[in-house]
């Protein structure tokens, strides 16, 4: 898909929460700021002795000559500047404008910058009551590198994210991320880079030698064949024998999971059965959260973004 260099509506990037089979969802090709339902492309700006950085990048507005700094745009929206925000790596649907709005509201203001994360890949795990197999990150994969999004969240947004990411723990990224805009955001306990790491065991299908990579999120050096969301849900139907319950297709499974979310007496029954089956399967891999340092539960990190201007 070819993207314009100018502003676009967030409606062009719908939330997978609304249509699970599109998970992880379409997202803008280049870094952007979401503000009041509009996607504002970010353009790299590096002149003289100033190193490339998101802090001196520009937001492209309605034409090629109409631009302003990201912090200037944030100020006009009465939103927190970059230096008061937390850089949180997003590897599933969180970088999708529609998904951001579904979590933070129509007036959400969030800068999102793309970068590279070495020694990592993105795979499927089971399963969300929203009707899709959700993304999980694999660290310590020496041969892969993923393109990842960094969402710069203010304090209120990060609190909402902590409350809504039911399958993940907020953690310190063990690996530094290099933004395409120039910044290197350090990982590790003393770094500034955060990530939501899953606390559930990672599913390995019987027909695979490892977890299944997400086709819509390609990575460099990947060797295992990836699947789309529809393909992975069809595989779940087959491997768990769900056709005996009248579930024959990916759409059937997705609809059943979403319907069970409304059951007050038995919330997410099938979801819990599948999660328990993965937990008891000796082929399953340890949770991603077991290989990272967790941010103390229910607390916000102490460090926000500092940038790399010289």
């Amino acid at each position: 898909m070819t993207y314009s260099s100018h502003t676009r509506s967030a409606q062009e990037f719908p939330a997978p929460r609304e249509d699970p089979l599109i998970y992880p969802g379409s997202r803008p090709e280049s870094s952007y700021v979401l503000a009041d339902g509009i996607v504002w492309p970010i353009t790299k700006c590096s002149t003289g002795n100033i190193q490339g950085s998101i802090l001196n990048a520009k937001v492209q507005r309605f034409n090629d000559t109409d631009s302003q700094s990201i912090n200037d745009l944030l100020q006009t929206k009465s939103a927190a500047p970059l230096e008061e925000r937390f850089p949180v790596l997003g590897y599933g649907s969180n970088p999708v404008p529609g998904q951001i709005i579904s979590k933070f509201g129509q007036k959400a203001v969030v800068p999102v910058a793309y970068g590279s994360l070495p020694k990592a890949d993105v795979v499927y795990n089971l399963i969300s009551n929203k009707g899709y197999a959700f993304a999980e990150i694999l660290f310590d994969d020496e041969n892969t590198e993923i393109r990842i999004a960094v969402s710069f969240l203010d304090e209120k947004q990060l609190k909402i994210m902590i409350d809504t990411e039911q399958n993940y723990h907020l953690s310190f990224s063990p690996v530094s991320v290099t933004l395409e805009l120039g910044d290197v955001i350090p990982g590790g306990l003393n770094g500034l880079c955060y990530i939501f790491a899953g606390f559930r065991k990672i599913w390995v299908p019987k027909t695979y030698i490892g977890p299944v990579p997400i086709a819509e999120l390609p990575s460099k050096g990947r060797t295992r064949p990836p699947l789309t969301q529809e393909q992975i849900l069809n595989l779940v139907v087959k491997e768990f024998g769900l056709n005996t319950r009248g579930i024959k297709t990916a759409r059937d499974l997705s609809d059943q999971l979403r319907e069970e979310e409304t059951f007050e007496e038995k919330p997410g029954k099938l979801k819990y059965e599948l999660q328990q089956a993965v937990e008891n399967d000796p082929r399953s891999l340890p949770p991603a959260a077991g290989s990272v340092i967790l941010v103390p539960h229910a607390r916000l990190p102490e460090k926000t973004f500092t940038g790399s201007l010289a």
Side-chain angles (χ1 to χ4, degrees), residues 123-127 134 136 138 167 198-204 211 274-290:
V123 299
Y124 288 108
N125 208 2
L126 304 184
I127 198 163
F134 55 82
E136 186 55 88
L138 285 182
N167 294 300
F199 61 82
R200 300 189 181 281
K201 284 187 176 181
I202 301 173
W203 182 48
V204 178
L274 294 174
Q275 288 177 344
Q276 193 60 47
V278 173
E279 185 70 23
N280 295 335
D281 189 342
R283 291 172 51 83
S284 299
L285 297 186

Side-chain angles (χ1 to χ4, degrees), residues 30-31 41-47 50-60 67 70 178-183:
S30 62
S31 301
I42 297 173
T43 58
K44 188 174 182 180
C45 178
S46 181
T47 59
I50 300 178
Q51 295 179 0
S53 172
I54 193 172
L55 290 177
N56 63 289
K58 300 290 185 181
V59 177
Q60 187 68 45
S67 64
I70 295 172
T178 301
L179 297 186
E180 294 170 0
L181 295 166
D183 302 273

